[in-house]
């Protein structure tokens, strides 16, 4: 199984290694070939996304599936919420059965919030985590803002770096902690597992039946 995953550049660098580590343990011999394809800051829209997906799914080196992983908060208000982001990407691509839209809600840093104690240690500050579920931290002040702020307040004396600090926060963590706290992350990981004929971790996707999507 060859799966292309479209991501914004910094997310790929911060998250790829941890995701592969988790999937390797979970899928073992069914581990797919994952190709992370950075998109220069954000996933393309409309015809650009359609052409990119179609190119990846065609030719002698075609992938078996393409997953697009976008932030809901892209710096602009392109998407109202996760459902809107996935619906728009599906419309842009044209209901291609080998294309799977997924989101980080509201941005990648939501998946880091469950490890707030580690964030505090790296930032060298004891500021409390934002209240509520990680993926409910929204457009008005998305998760990345909270992490940037604790770094500014902390004694680490530097700005937060998604690539450097994202990796450091995740390094020794159990990804299952974030998977259980973040439904969109559950859906994304379950999608990869189901495409590889594995038993999904959490039955949160609408089309899941008997461990398959």
């Amino acid at each position: 199984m060859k799966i292309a995953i479209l991501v914004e550049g910094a997310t790929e660098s911060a998250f790829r290694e941890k995701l592969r580590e988790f999937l390797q343990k979970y899928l073992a011999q069914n581990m797919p070939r994952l190709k992370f394809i950075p998109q220069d800051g954000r996933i393309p829209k409309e015809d650009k996304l359609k052409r990119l997906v179609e190119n990846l799914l065609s030719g002698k080196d075609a992938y078996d599936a393409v997953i697009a992983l976008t932030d809901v908060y892209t710096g602009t208000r392109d998407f109202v919420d996760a459902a809107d982001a996935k619906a728009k990407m599906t419309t842009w691509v044209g209901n291609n059965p080998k294309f799977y839209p997924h989101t980080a809600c509201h941005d990648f840093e939501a998946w880091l919030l469950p490890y707030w104690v580690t964030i505090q240690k790296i930032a060298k500050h004891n500021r409390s985590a934002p209240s509520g579920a990680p993926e409910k931290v929204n457009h008005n002040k998305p998760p990345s803002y909270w992490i940037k702020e604790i770094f500014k307040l902390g004694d680490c004396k530097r700005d937060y770096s998604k690539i450097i600090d994202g990796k450091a926060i995740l390094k020794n963590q159990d990804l299952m902690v974030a998977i259980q706290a973040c439904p969109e992350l559950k859906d994304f990981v379950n999608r990869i597992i189901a495409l590889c004929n594995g038993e999904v971790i959490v039955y949160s996707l609408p089309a899941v039946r008997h461990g398959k999507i």
Side-chain angles (χ1 to χ4, degrees):
M1 172 66 69
K2 291 171 56 180
I3 303 172
I5 303 176
L6 309 179
V7 290
E8 62 105 339
T11 297
E12 181 255 359
S13 298
F15 188 54
R16 176 183 57 188
E17 184 177 331
K18 177 56 65 172
L19 177 64
R20 279 185 168 147
E21 174 190 298
F22 177 85
L23 290 171
Q24 185 66 60
K25 291 178 180 177
Y26 200 87
L27 287 170
Q29 299 303 315
N30 289 329
M31 182 68 185
R33 291 171 59 189
L34 299 177
K35 176 67 174 180
F36 288 77
I37 304 177
Q39 295 301 304
D40 193 27
R42 62 165 299 164
I43 303 299
K45 299 189 291 184
E46 301 176 348
D47 286 344
K48 288 184 178 180
L49 179 60
K50 182 177 182 178
R51 287 195 300 270
L52 176 59
V53 170
E54 289 176 347
N55 287 339
L56 290 168
L57 292 171
S58 61
K60 64 178 182 179
D61 296 321
Y63 289 87
D64 298 298
V66 175
I67 296 172
L69 180 62
T70 185
D71 289 351
V72 171
Y73 179 79
T74 61
T76 58
R77 290 185 178 258
D78 292 311
F79 308 125
V80 176
D81 53 23
D84 181 53
K86 287 181 276 191
K88 284 180 177 173
M89 288 192 289
T90 298
T91 299
W92 294 336
V93 171
N95 290 308
N96 190 312
K98 295 184 178 181
F99 172 68
Y100 303 95
H102 284 272
T103 64
C105 187
H106 278 80
D107 55 30
F108 163 73
E109 278 74 12
W111 301 348
L112 302 181
L113 293 184
Y115 310 110
W116 192 259
V117 171
T118 299
I119 293 170
Q120 289 175 320
K121 289 178 181 177
I122 295 173
K124 298 182 180 180
H125 197 278
N126 64 357
R127 184 181 186 180
S128 298
S131 60
E135 292 182 338
K136 297 297 185 182
V137 180
N138 62 26
H139 279 304
N140 296 323
K141 195 172 182 180
S144 57
Y145 278 53
W146 286 86
I147 296 178
K148 288 175 184 177
E149 285 186 353
I150 192 173
F151 270 75
K152 286 181 180 179
L153 293 169
D155 291 334
C156 64
K157 305 299 183 185
R158 60 181 177 81
D159 291 335
Y160 163 72
S161 165
K162 180 177 290 194
I163 295 174
I164 296 171
D165 297 308
K167 281 185 176 180
I169 292 164
L170 289 170
K171 184 177 180 181
N172 295 314
Q173 307 293 353
D174 180 358
L175 190 61
M176 186 65 81
V177 172
I179 289 170
Q180 297 290 4
C182 303
E184 294 298 331
L185 176 57
K186 292 176 189 177
D187 288 355
F188 171 65
V189 174
N190 278 345
R191 178 71 67 190
I192 297 172
I193 291 171
L195 285 169
C196 300
N197 296 316
E199 289 291 319
V200 296
I201 300 166
V202 185
Y203 299 87
S204 57
L205 286 168
V208 168
R209 295 293 185 274
H210 305 298
K212 304 291 179 64
I213 295 177

